[in-house]
Amino acid sequence: LTNGQTIAITYAPTTPGNDAATITFTNSDLSQSFNIVGSCINGIATIAELRALMDCSNTTIDTTGTTTYLYTGHAIITEHTTNSTSWMQDETGAIQLYNQGGAFIANATVGTEVTNVVGNLANYYGYLELKPTAEITDIDHFPTTIIEPLSITLEQLQDQEYMDGIQGQLVKLENVTFNQTGTFAGYSLYSVNQGEIT
């Protein structure tokens, strides 16, 4: 080796997650070691599988994992509230996409179908997020898949364990009666009845 020479090294861990290795160059009068790190991307086919990879039972922490995952399934963007936040759902579940600044999810708008989404999982105080680490470019603006909202009851809505299980999914309440009349204002609370439950 000569001073300033560049050597290309590819390190591809086969174990999911972050990994480290040491490379040592030696000859008769010199030994030099370098520490390198790599991350293995898992191909995950469904959102249900993705959701099972992080425990979000701790509602007191905001933490992001270091393993990078590749979602290879096909999901529909069901909500896009800001440039930083979208939700995607497939036939197995749903998950929030959170990207501070929004550059990675800007084109993932409501009704589009996305695949090959790369990111890290995060537990945001008990709520699971996928934080994209690259721009979502594999987008179909004319998908044939339609996500139907899950019909739930007011009783289920108040069941925290049940709601944790369907986190992020499109839901609808049927056969409810509003206790107020008139024009509804945004960001206001209104009570509804469904049988004996308010």
Side-chain angles (χ1 to χ4, degrees):
L1 298 177
T2 59
N3 188 26
Q5 182 176 352
T6 300
I7 299 175
I9 298 172
T10 300
Y11 179 57
T14 56
T15 302
N18 292 330
D19 203 355
T22 301
I23 295 179
T24 303
F25 297 98
T26 60
N27 63 17
S28 59
D29 60 354
L30 173 68
S31 178
Q32 182 69 50
S33 296
F34 301 90
N35 293 321
I36 58 174
V37 295
S39 181
C40 179
I41 297 179
N42 270 349
I44 307 297
T46 69
I47 292 177
E49 291 175 83
L50 197 60
R51 295 189 63 84
L53 295 170
M54 179 171 257
D55 177 14
C56 284
S57 59
N58 188 340
T59 60
T60 65
I61 59 172
D62 176 10
T63 183
T64 301
T66 57
T67 301
T68 303
Y69 296 101
L70 171 66
Y71 169 73
T72 58
H74 293 266
I76 300 295
I77 299 297
T78 55
E79 184 64 29
H80 182 81
T81 57
T82 68
N83 284 336
S84 298
T85 307
S86 289
W87 281 260
M88 67 178 189
Q89 183 171 338
D90 65 13
E91 66 279 0
T92 69
I95 194 167
Q96 179 180 352
L97 301 174
Y98 179 74
N99 174 222
Q100 185 68 43
F104 294 158
I105 63 172
N107 295 319
T109 55
V110 173
T112 59
E113 181 177 319
V114 297
T115 188
N116 296 320
V117 180
V118 179
N120 303 105
L121 292 172
N123 174 11
Y124 183 72
Y125 302 105
Y127 194 79
L128 184 65
E129 299 173 335
L130 179 64
K131 293 185 171 182
T133 55
E135 182 180 357
I136 300 173
T137 57
D138 203 338
I139 298 174
D140 183 352
H141 291 277
F142 303 100
T144 56
T145 302
I146 298 174
I147 299 295
E148 293 292 338
L150 176 67
S151 181
I152 65 170
T153 65
L154 284 181
E155 185 175 13
Q156 290 170 318
L157 186 64
Q158 297 174 72
D159 181 340
Q160 188 64 50
E161 186 175 341
Y162 175 78
M163 294 304 293
D164 285 347
I166 62 167
Q167 200 177 85
Q169 292 188 37
L170 276 182
V171 297
K172 63 180 176 180
L173 291 167
E174 296 181 295
N175 301 316
V176 296
T177 303
F178 282 90
N179 295 323
Q180 295 87 5
T181 60
T183 303
F184 293 111
Y187 305 100
S188 299
L189 298 177
Y190 298 93
S191 61
V192 293
N193 294 332
Q194 190 176 53
E196 300 299 316
I197 299 176
T198 298

